[in-house]
Amino acid sequence: MLVLLPPSEGKATDGDGPPLDLDSLTLPDLRPAREEVMAALAEVCSGPEEEARRTLGLSPTQADALKRNLSLATAPTLRTDQLYTGVLYDRLGLGDLPRTDRILIFSGLWGAVGPADRLPPYRLSMGVKLPPLGGLAAYWRREAKKELEAFTEDHLLVDCRSSAYAAAYKSRAALPVRVLRERVVDGRTKRSVVSHMAKATRGDIARSLLLENVDARTPEELTGALRDLGYRVELDQGRLDVVVHD
């Protein structure tokens, strides 16, 4: 079983480790593709600031990210489990999990990485259309398909990614995790899809699975394990629904 995660928009801004070593990253055969994206990103960030920010979807207060993107090869690095911040990663607590080798984190810049990989701070979302490469989800879906299929072969994939990152790699073995809020309105039970706080629930789910060393082989095994851990979950047309209450 592998848990697939998105990165976080929020990231640490300073590292203290050695410079980037592309050959040391998870899926090292992605090096040519990673170098191509790094070069395209540097080209954009070295141009007019306003145009670069518009391409990358950054606000004026995020202009420092352009400078970080220009020093990827030489900047101090830090472990991925320290780089990514935000709601999902706060709840996941990567720093004290015993089996982080069961996690694969998708990235607009790197394709996919592991929690122990060392990366420089950067800013590049999967939803960006990066000249001249185009949409990054389509780019990685093409460039990383072979390596990702080999890496995930024979694993059930607990897919906690957001839609933009899920588009970068699609697999029949992936079981998307959807979070539904259930509440009673005028005496009737209603459910709605949770957006922002779904990150917290997905972080909780991933942490529970890894802490308890769950290694499910099928969606049914995963559902049973999560119910044993106290979650209310249902299988629905190739998707795992987690039901939460107000």
Side-chain angles (χ1 to χ4, degrees):
M1 186 188 76
L2 292 173
V3 178
L4 309 185
L5 298 177
S8 61
E9 291 298 319
K11 299 177 180 68
T13 57
D14 296 299
D16 58 4
L20 176 67
D21 177 5
L22 288 174
D23 291 328
S24 72
L25 301 184
T26 301
L27 302 171
D29 288 344
L30 293 182
R31 175 169 185 154
R34 288 164 172 159
E35 289 177 330
E36 187 172 39
V37 178
M38 287 173 64
L41 180 60
E43 183 68 22
V44 168
C45 292
S46 61
E49 179 183 311
E50 185 175 352
E51 183 177 344
R53 287 195 290 101
R54 183 168 59 250
T55 298
L56 301 183
L58 302 177
S59 69
T61 61
Q62 296 171 314
D64 284 350
L66 302 179
K67 297 178 181 178
R68 289 193 289 273
N69 286 345
L70 287 170
S71 60
L72 296 174
T74 58
T77 59
L78 66 168
R79 282 172 54 108
T80 304
D81 57 16
Q82 299 171 335
L83 174 64
Y84 295 128
T85 60
V87 174
L88 188 154
Y89 286 89
D90 285 345
R91 300 294 279 265
L92 177 58
L94 275 174
D96 60 3
L97 287 177
R99 290 296 306 274
T100 59
D101 59 317
R102 289 184 178 175
I103 292 176
L104 192 62
I105 303 169
F106 282 72
S107 164
L109 179 52
W110 314 109
V113 295
D117 292 348
R118 299 197 68 93
L119 301 173
Y122 71 96
R123 189 65 181 258
L124 181 63
S125 298
M126 188 68 81
V128 167
K129 292 184 178 179
L130 187 65
L133 305 181
L136 289 172
Y139 175 86
W140 287 116
R141 191 164 60 244
R142 179 180 67 252
E143 297 296 327
K145 180 180 179 181
K146 179 180 177 181
E147 288 76 9
L148 285 168
E149 286 180 344
F151 189 86
T152 61
E153 186 177 9
D154 297 329
H155 291 286
L156 174 67
L157 307 179
V158 184
D159 195 351
C160 295
R161 297 174 296 172
S162 54
S163 58
Y165 290 89
Y169 176 58
K170 299 180 179 181
S171 169
R172 292 182 179 179
L175 185 65
V177 176
R178 183 174 68 167
V179 182
L180 300 176
R181 176 182 288 115
E182 185 175 274
R183 50 185 174 171
V184 177
V185 180
D186 296 329
R188 301 181 65 180
T189 300
K190 294 187 177 182
R191 289 181 175 180
S192 58
V193 176
V194 178
S195 55
H196 177 68
M197 287 312 295
K199 297 177 182 179
T201 301
R202 290 181 179 128
D204 290 339
I205 290 283
R207 181 173 179 81
S208 295
L209 291 173
L210 295 164
L211 274 179
E212 297 300 325
N213 200 28
V214 174
D215 192 14
R217 295 286 181 176
T218 67
E220 291 76 17
E221 285 184 18
L222 178 66
T223 301
L226 286 170
R227 286 173 179 164
D228 289 343
L229 291 171
Y231 292 96
R232 185 178 173 189
V233 293
E234 301 169 0
L235 285 176
D236 181 20
Q237 299 180 351
R239 180 177 54 222
L240 181 73
D241 286 341
V242 184
V243 183
V244 298
H245 299 273
D246 288 335

